[in-house]
Amino acid sequence: MNSDFKPAAPQGAAPAQPPAKAATATTQTPFSALPLDPAMLQNLQSLGLHHMTPIQAEALPLALAGHDLIAQAKTGSGKTAAFALALLTRLNPRWFGVQAMVMCPTRELADQVAQEIRRLARAENNIKILTLCGGSTMRPQIASLAHGAHIVVGTPGRLMDHLERGTLDLSGLNTLVLDEADRMLDMGFFDDIVTVARQCPKDRQTLLFSATYPEGIAKLSQQFLKNPKEVKVQAVHEASTIRELWYEVGDNERLHTVSRLLAHHRPANTIAFCNTRQQCRDLVDVLNAEGIEAQALHGELEQRERDQVLLQFANKSLSVLVATDVAARGLDIAQLEAVVNVDVTPDAEVHIHRIGRTGRAGQDGLALNLASMDEMGRVGRIEVLQGREVKWQPLDSLTPASREPLSPPMVTLQILGGRKEKIRPGDVLGALTGEAGLEGSRIGKINVTDFHTYVAVERGIAQDALRALASVKVKGKKVKARLLADVIREGRDA
């Protein structure tokens, strides 16, 4: 490789200068106020990004000036763009070596981060971004790295695997990002982070983002950051955006009260947070017994099961996702109508993070909270952080709003065959709407994996769609299709 293309001076980076004055939460600061390349500014305009969020306004001037950074901000605050724009300005597009690396706690967050960086990188042609996560085979990742990449986004364990194999070269790295560092620590990744960071060049820039600030964050910053600047955006949501209601319950009535909440408020989709895996399993059993389609998301699930649960929730085939905080971290579900806190978290900032998943992008959100007398101390800490008293509601105000069961609008079908058979979403859509004659408006998201294809269809046409797939050809071949719910049920009974 030509040494002339080694990423010496960061191209397009801001010259060393005093950091711009931090923007307040009420100030609308345009991206044009930053020393960004004109092509980057034009791309931001085309994406509809005109003004910075509070975390972007505070973090970007510091990051572009070359400072190491500790930024405290919740998911959904625009933090990805805050570090993505900084690392993109330091890239040398002509040199196909890894120049930036983002470490994430989960595969889902890594996928979302990589997708967002790709959108922001459109201003420069041929920026190659790879995701390196567990749950996927190593061989394609090794082959992609061999062809060169500018940015890698991955989970600590898989990044370590590549470093141990010698397939990931970090000698040209100039930016290291630790995203949602608190959750990586929660999940036991401290030693992995240390191992990976020690193989990065010492003169790199390090940007650490975290929703909360546990003791381990200070420990990490002391080891790997150089005179970091600290930025914090208060994680409190506008009361007008999220309607938050509290109900006092006894522990023996907690789980059944969740189904009463759902029957009364009837949200189209809900994430229910529990403090333990066992509580997740118990709640799923209760909800399923009452005819509500719910599935659990926790650390004991295999990656395939986790992917299937998330796929169904994202395509509206699942009413309730029951999750622990660690399992749900990094998920960004569009248009989430409600959050239910089945247990009160001992960390008030985690509570803010939970309810902040609803009411995004100017939409209204609903946060429903259950608390027993033993949890009132935790409720008090939440009141202090939010700066307002919680609103208690009587349990007897919960009455079913309809006699109709609370069912998700869609059903997911699983087709045997995926990318390995060169199936694309358009092939499936064409088969269902062409020869089979189903209306395209009644077909939802289509997800293609290596060996399977998943298609969401309206509940009322699920059997028609199955019969259609049994009689038509996809990519010139007959395919087998089943209800994903049946596949999952048989797998658990086996």
Side-chain angles (χ1 to χ4, degrees):
M1 190 172 290
N2 191 330
S3 60
D4 291 342
F5 290 143
K6 199 73 171 166
Q11 296 211 350
Q17 58 185 359
K21 185 178 179 181
T24 66
T26 57
T27 303
Q28 287 276 296
T29 307
F31 281 101
S32 57
L34 297 172
L36 295 174
D37 184 89
M40 175 66 78
L41 290 172
Q42 185 175 359
N43 183 46
L44 290 170
Q45 290 281 328
S46 70
L47 294 172
L49 301 174
H50 306 290
H51 294 90
M52 290 183 271
T53 66
I55 189 60
Q56 292 163 359
E58 295 199 24
L60 270 167
L62 297 170
L64 292 172
H67 295 286
D68 281 11
L69 191 65
I70 300 174
Q72 189 173 345
K74 59 185 173 57
T75 297
S77 61
K79 64 182 175 61
T80 303
F83 61 73
L85 291 173
L87 67 84
L88 286 169
T89 62
R90 297 169 64 85
L91 288 186
N92 180 348
R94 296 175 296 163
W95 185 69
F96 277 83
V98 176
Q99 299 167 54
M101 179 169 64
V102 184
M103 296 177 68
C104 301
T106 65
R107 174 182 176 181
E108 291 77 30
L109 180 61
D111 286 340
Q112 291 172 17
V113 167
Q115 184 177 354
E116 179 67 9
I117 296 176
R118 287 189 184 98
R119 289 200 324 141
L120 296 171
R122 290 176 189 166
E124 182 70 52
N125 291 328
N126 210 21
I127 298 295
K128 189 173 178 183
I129 301 159
L130 291 180
T131 52
L132 303 177
C133 301
S136 301
T137 54
M138 290 285 286
R139 187 176 298 173
Q141 295 179 0
I142 293 171
S144 295
L145 284 167
H147 285 93
H150 297 99
I151 302 166
V152 294
V153 183
T155 49
R158 182 50 60 93
L159 292 171
M160 278 185 60
D161 289 344
H162 281 288
L163 289 170
E164 289 168 1
R165 291 168 179 254
T167 50
L168 176 60
D169 179 8
L170 299 179
S171 61
L173 191 86
N174 59 43
T175 309
L176 170 65
V177 179
L178 305 179
D179 191 16
E180 300 207 351
D182 52 348
R183 286 305 156 193
M184 286 196 281
L185 297 180
D186 283 347
M187 296 166 76
F189 286 142
F190 183 88
D191 291 339
D192 293 359
I193 295 170
V194 170
T195 300
V196 173
R198 282 181 177 159
Q199 297 195 47
C200 299
K202 285 185 166 51
D203 60 351
R204 69 180 186 273
Q205 181 183 31
T206 305
L207 307 173
L208 185 153
F209 284 76
S210 183
T212 59
Y213 200 101
E215 183 180 343
I217 297 295
K219 192 175 175 184
L220 273 180
S221 66
Q222 289 166 5
Q223 290 197 44
F224 301 119
L225 278 72
K226 306 183 299 291
N227 302 316
K229 301 291 185 182
E230 294 191 21
V231 167
K232 180 176 181 179
V233 173
Q234 185 72 317
V236 176
H237 310 290
E238 291 293 333
S240 58
T241 303
I242 300 174
R243 182 178 176 225
E244 190 171 8
L245 304 174
W246 289 78
Y247 300 84
E248 184 181 337
V249 295
D251 284 328
N252 61 341
E253 61 184 344
R254 190 186 298 264
L255 299 185
H256 287 283
T257 302
V258 175
S259 59
R260 291 180 63 189
L261 289 171
L262 297 173
H264 177 84
H265 293 283
R266 298 188 68 83
N269 54 359
T270 303
I271 295 182
F273 284 103
C274 299
N275 288 350
T276 67
R277 295 173 182 174
Q278 187 58 50
Q279 186 84 312
C280 286
R281 289 188 284 263
D282 291 345
L283 179 58
V284 167
D285 289 342
V286 168
L287 295 178
N288 287 344
E290 297 187 11
I292 298 173
E293 299 209 22
Q295 291 189 38
L297 190 70
H298 52 70
E300 292 179 356
L301 293 182
E302 294 180 2
Q303 189 64 49
R304 175 183 52 80
E305 296 175 297
R306 181 182 175 88
D307 289 344
Q308 289 177 343
V309 169
L310 290 172
L311 180 145
Q312 291 176 87
F313 192 64
N315 71 16
K316 301 181 180 179
S317 297
L318 191 62
S319 295
V320 184
L321 180 67
V322 183
T324 57
D325 290 300
V326 170
R329 192 56 177 261
L331 301 185
D332 190 6
I333 306 298
Q335 298 178 326
L336 180 67
E337 288 197 8
V339 167
V340 175
N341 285 307
V342 183
D343 305 302
V344 184
T345 172
D347 187 330
E349 289 200 352
V350 169
H351 175 85
I352 303 299
H353 181 87
R354 285 178 174 183
I355 69 172
R357 295 172 181 277
T358 185
R360 291 188 175 184
Q363 296 179 331
D364 291 333
L366 181 63
L368 305 170
N369 310 283
L370 303 180
S372 65
M373 283 301 297
D374 292 341
E375 295 171 319
M376 290 304 166
R378 297 177 178 180
V379 176
R381 289 193 287 274
I382 291 169
E383 288 180 316
V384 170
L385 181 59
Q386 291 183 323
R388 60 178 183 267
E389 292 185 0
V390 303
K391 297 178 180 178
W392 294 98
Q393 308 294 317
L395 274 180
D396 58 15
S397 67
L398 297 175
T399 56
S402 170
R403 292 183 180 180
E404 293 294 321
L406 184 65
S407 299
M410 310 298 280
V411 172
T412 300
L413 313 181
Q414 182 194 68
I415 298 171
L416 191 61
R419 279 192 290 264
K420 296 294 185 183
E421 287 75 32
K422 301 194 182 327
I423 291 177
R424 298 175 302 175
D427 300 323
V428 177
L429 183 62
L432 289 171
T433 59
E435 188 178 341
L438 297 177
E439 294 179 29
S441 61
R442 306 189 73 180
I443 299 169
K445 290 185 179 180
I446 300 174
N447 299 82
V448 183
T449 66
D450 283 346
F451 301 105
H452 297 94
T453 299
Y454 301 92
V455 53
V457 299
E458 285 187 7
R459 180 170 294 275
I461 65 164
Q463 294 304 321
D464 292 338
L466 283 174
R467 284 192 291 270
L469 288 170
S471 63
V472 301
K473 291 183 178 181
V474 177
K475 211 72 177 181
K477 295 181 180 179
K478 288 281 190 179
V479 295
K480 292 182 179 180
R482 299 182 61 194
L483 292 173
L484 178 57
D486 291 344
V487 176
I488 292 173
R489 193 177 300 111
E490 290 177 9
R492 288 174 180 167
D493 292 342

